[in-house]
Amino acid sequence: QVQLVESGGGLVQPGGSLRLSCAASGLTFSRYAMSWFRQAPGKERELVAAISSIGGSTNYADSVKGRFTISRDNAKSTVFLQMESLRPDDTAVYYCNANWKRPIRDYDYWGQGTQVTVSS
């Protein structure tokens, strides 16, 4: 079975840093674009950052540009989200997503989510 297991969330003060990790299993990791989404209470899930299957391109939500960095290690089947200069409005559950677009259907998988709380 496909599993995406996230780690690294927690409580951090404003201005602090966290590094999230998402370890994938049960899939050919290098085929998949990887993304981080987040969802705060009462809000829709939003895309935070995405990285192409071999890491050649990335994109970020405007709200996190310059502060967050997505990266991947295909040899370890892991995607990371380095978060710097954290703000209270970064507080959310962060979800790892794997997506492999095919002509007939997409293969789309989600992690369980990890809580990030930015508060003093």
Side-chain angles (χ1 to χ4, degrees), residues 25-47:
S25 61
L27 51 73
T28 302
F29 186 75
S30 62
R31 294 175 176 170
Y32 287 78
M34 301 297 298
S35 301
W36 290 94
F37 289 75
R38 68 187 181 187
Q39 188 167 26
K43 295 186 177 180
E44 297 292 328
R45 184 171 56 192
E46 65 173 341
L47 176 67

Side-chain angles (χ1 to χ4, degrees), residues 8 11-19 67 82-86:
L11 176 65
V12 64
Q13 293 185 334
S17 301
L18 282 175
R19 184 175 177 87
R67 300 189 298 121
Q82 180 69 41
M83 304 185 292
E84 308 284 354
S85 301
L86 283 162

Side-chain angles (χ1 to χ4, degrees), residues 2 8 19 25 53 56-57 69 72 85 117:
V2 173
R19 184 175 177 87
S25 61
S53 60
S57 62
T69 303
R72 65 192 295 159
S85 301
T117 302

Side-chain angles (χ1 to χ4, degrees), residues 27-34 53 97-109:
L27 51 73
T28 302
F29 186 75
S30 62
R31 294 175 176 170
Y32 287 78
M34 301 297 298
S53 60
N97 171 261
N99 184 265
W100 181 31
K101 295 187 182 300
R102 299 266 76 198
I104 302 299
R105 58 162 287 184
D106 286 358
Y107 292 84
D108 196 72
Y109 302 101

Side-chain angles (χ1 to χ4, degrees), residues 77-97:
S77 296
T78 302
V79 63
F80 306 94
L81 185 67
Q82 180 69 41
M83 304 185 292
E84 308 284 354
S85 301
L86 283 162
R87 305 166 179 168
D89 60 4
D90 294 319
T91 296
V93 178
Y94 284 71
Y95 297 92
C96 177
N97 171 261

Side-chain angles (χ1 to χ4, degrees), residues 50-68:
I51 187 167
S52 60
S53 60
I54 61 172
S57 62
T58 58
N59 67 277
Y60 299 91
D62 287 342
S63 60
V64 308
K65 284 181 180 176
R67 300 189 298 121
F68 290 11

